[in-house]
């Protein structure tokens, strides 16, 4: 059966995003809700600026609490933002007969992160299939320079039948 046949209605996360972001400060409220579900994400004070099926954009402000010793954004803070973007995208996008779990992350540091950072996770619809799936993740500075590029490996499997 095709993904379209399985994914004929929005996921709970996508429905929640569409409802909450109609409100004043909706994106901030939604970002806080995601951090309540996975509290570690809150350590970088992330802001989900865009969520659509197969793509999520998450912003991290450059501030002292995410600095490294040279006062740029620490790469682990960026990885946290990339993982939040990936997880939110996955929860908003996965066909309803599948489930996911992360298996690994591979990143390259390509430039100093001396500004606010935009973290993007994106896949194509065809990638949603049982087995290993690589989610492309990229972090950009405010000038559009790629500061981190990599992938997060997910294990995609069928949901067990409901009893």
């Amino acid at each position: 059966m095709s993904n379209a046949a399985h994914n004929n209605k929005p996921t709970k996360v996508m429905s929640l995003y569409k409802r909450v972001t109609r409100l004043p400060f909706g994106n901030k409220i939604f970002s806080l809700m995601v951090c309540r579900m996975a509290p570690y994400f809150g350590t970088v004070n992330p802001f989900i600026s865009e969520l659509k099926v197969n793509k999520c954009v998450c912003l991290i402000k450059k501030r002292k609490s995410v600095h490294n010793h040279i006062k740029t954004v620490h790469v682990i803070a960026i990885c946290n933002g990339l993982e939040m973007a990936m997880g939110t995208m996955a929860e908003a996008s996965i066909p309803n007969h599948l489930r996911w779990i992360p298996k690994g992350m591979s990143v390259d540091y390509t430039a100093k992160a001396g500004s606010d950072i935009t973290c993007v996770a994106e896949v194509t619809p065809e990638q949603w299939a049982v087995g290993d799936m690589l989610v492309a993740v990229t972090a950009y500075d405010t000038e559009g320079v790629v500061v981190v590029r990599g992938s997060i490996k997910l294990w995609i499997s069928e949901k067990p039948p409901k009893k």
Side-chain angles (χ1 to χ4, degrees):
M1 192 176 296
S2 74
N3 286 348
H6 279 293
N7 211 15
N8 50 6
K9 67 177 189 163
T11 67
K12 287 179 186 176
V13 168
M14 186 56 80
S15 295
L16 179 65
Y17 177 78
K18 287 180 178 178
R19 270 195 327 271
V20 171
T21 55
R22 284 188 230 140
L23 302 170
F25 307 104
N27 285 73
K28 183 64 178 171
I29 294 166
F30 181 78
S31 300
L32 291 169
M33 293 171 88
V34 172
C35 290
R36 295 252 346 225
M37 291 183 258
Y40 184 70
F41 291 142
T43 63
V44 297
N45 195 23
F47 178 81
I48 295 174
S49 62
E50 178 185 346
L51 178 63
K52 55 187 180 183
V53 174
N54 300 318
K55 182 178 182 183
C56 182
V57 178
C58 175
L59 305 175
I60 299 172
K61 291 278 188 191
K62 181 183 183 288
R63 59 191 201 295
K64 190 174 183 177
S65 64
V66 295
H67 281 178
N68 57 23
H69 65 290
I70 59 171
K71 296 186 175 45
T72 61
V73 180
H74 196 289
V75 73
I76 297 303
I78 296 170
C79 287
N80 194 356
L82 291 170
E83 190 172 359
M84 181 173 178
M86 176 284 300
T88 307
M89 177 280 300
E91 283 296 310
S93 308
I94 193 164
N96 59 19
H97 68 292
L98 298 175
R99 60 188 179 174
W100 66 275
I101 189 164
K103 286 179 67 177
M105 179 182 226
S106 176
V107 293
D108 292 317
Y109 315 160
T110 54
K112 284 184 183 176
S115 68
D116 295 347
I117 302 298
T118 301
C119 299
V120 180
E122 192 165 18
V123 297
T124 62
E126 302 77 39
Q127 287 181 263
W128 292 109
V130 171
D132 283 343
M133 175 177 152
L134 291 179
V135 177
V137 291
T138 310
Y140 303 89
D141 69 10
T142 54
E143 301 296 316
V145 173
V146 173
V147 296
V148 175
R149 179 184 317 260
S151 63
I152 299 175
K153 185 189 291 188
L154 305 182
W155 173 250
I156 307 295
S157 60
E158 295 275 345
K159 284 183 182 172
K162 289 188 175 171
K163 296 182 181 196

